[in-house]
Amino acid sequence: MILSDEQLARYSRHITLKEIGVKGQKKLLAAKVLIIGAGGLGAPAAMYLAAAGVGTIGIADCDDVELSNLQRQIIHTTEDVGKSKAESAAETIKALNPDVTVKAFHGYVNSSNIAELIADYDFIIDGADNFPTKFLINDACVLGDKPFCHAGILRFEGQLMTYVPDEGPCYRCIFEAPPPKDAVPSCREAGVIGAMAGIIGSMQALEAVKYITDQGELLTGAMLIFDGLKMEWRKVKLPKSVPSCPICGESPTITKLYDEEQPSCSLL
């Protein structure tokens, strides 16, 4: 692959970085990232990955754009209200960077289709805001040997961790099963500051870029927690492995995908 003059100009700030350079930019242009959820987390992640020149970006979301989404879901505009989030996100990405091929999936992500959805991608972004989907993403990635970045936000707080096969714990290692229904409030119920979505979603994009270019340290074996009110970061060390994990432990009991429950369509 030879970069065109336009690409050399577009990605010049990447190419200047010794950690990226032309070689790293070519890796980004050849990479494929799937974002499950075109909402608060998926929106900034998608925009920064598109701007970075990730060659193929998949967007999966079953919802349509609502006016209340616009406080944090920056990939959508007022004119997009009523449109499929996946299609709205795809239009914004294409306008931002014509180098990017966008594949939009408007529908529920569930145990019957997620394995096929993730199969062709190099890295997965978890942009869901419900526990059934988060656990499903984890299970599909563990069984499919796919790396992914988990994140969650609520009120003024956010967290993220990255799973890479055989390099650290998975989501179920830390949170074995979803909490009881309604035990944890949703963003709709408890609220979330819009900028928190931008901070954490952008960090998910950074994790993807580091993985693709093989640079820096990923959040494998650690959970990064941010308190926006106190402006405090806390990095919690996680166990390298959890032998009792029901999906990646020594005697796994989860050997095929299933739906914890039918989640609501809302994705942050």
Side-chain angles (χ1 to χ4, degrees):
M1 177 193 299
I2 297 175
L3 299 184
S4 67
D5 289 343
E6 183 176 325
Q7 288 174 322
L8 289 171
R10 179 184 290 270
Y11 308 117
S12 62
R13 300 304 189 273
H14 273 177
I15 293 168
T16 300
L17 295 168
K18 64 180 179 62
E19 293 87 354
I20 306 295
V22 171
K23 182 178 180 181
Q25 189 59 52
K26 288 181 178 180
K27 288 182 179 180
L28 289 168
L29 287 163
K32 298 178 180 180
V33 176
L34 173 66
I35 302 170
I36 299 179
L41 294 169
M47 293 185 75
Y48 272 107
L49 289 172
V54 170
T56 300
I57 296 177
I59 301 284
D61 198 302
C62 61
D63 222 339
D64 295 330
V65 180
E66 298 178 3
L67 192 61
S68 63
N69 300 149
L70 304 183
Q71 167 256 8
R72 64 204 174 281
Q73 300 178 17
I74 59 171
I75 205 164
H76 313 298
T77 69
T78 302
E79 292 183 355
D80 295 323
V81 171
K83 288 184 184 177
S84 153
K85 283 188 180 180
E87 292 297 336
S88 170
E91 290 173 4
T92 301
I93 290 171
K94 290 174 183 176
L96 177 63
N97 191 348
D99 281 347
V100 180
T101 297
V102 190
K103 297 183 178 180
F105 173 74
H106 178 64
Y108 284 96
V109 174
N110 55 42
S111 60
S112 67
N113 60 24
I114 190 170
E116 183 178 357
L117 273 175
I118 70 174
D120 292 335
Y121 291 89
D122 305 308
F123 195 89
I124 315 300
I125 299 285
D126 164 18
D129 76 339
N130 62 78
F131 289 105
T133 304
K134 287 185 176 298
F135 278 89
L136 180 62
I137 292 169
N138 176 82
D139 295 352
C141 288
V142 171
L143 294 178
D145 287 326
K146 296 287 185 178
F148 79 97
C149 185
H150 150 79
I153 55 173
L154 191 67
R155 301 188 180 99
F156 287 84
E157 297 181 352
Q159 66 179 38
L160 70 158
M161 63 175 281
T162 296
Y163 167 79
V164 176
D166 303 318
E167 292 188 18
C170 75
Y171 187 65
R172 274 195 194 270
C173 289
I174 314 307
F175 310 103
E176 184 175 343
K181 190 174 182 180
D182 300 324
V184 179
S186 67
C187 287
R188 185 184 297 272
E189 296 164 332
V192 63
I193 193 72
M196 183 58 64
I199 292 166
I200 303 300
S202 296
M203 295 191 75
Q204 288 185 284
L206 179 59
E207 286 288 276
V209 168
K210 290 192 299 180
Y211 176 81
I212 292 164
T213 59
D214 193 24
Q215 294 296 321
E217 297 181 6
L218 296 170
L219 286 169
T220 52
M223 176 80 75
L224 191 61
I225 301 170
F226 179 53
D227 183 330
L229 282 177
K230 296 180 180 178
M231 292 303 280
E232 291 180 352
W233 291 95
R234 185 161 56 100
K235 192 173 183 180
V236 179
K237 187 176 181 180
L238 303 176
K240 185 174 182 180
S241 64
V242 177
S244 61
C245 178
I247 191 165
C248 70
E250 294 177 353
S251 301
T253 56
I254 299 173
T255 57
K256 63 179 181 179
L257 297 174
Y258 68 95
D259 296 304
E260 296 279 356
E261 63 181 73
Q262 183 62 52
S264 66
C265 194
S266 177
L267 293 171
L268 276 177

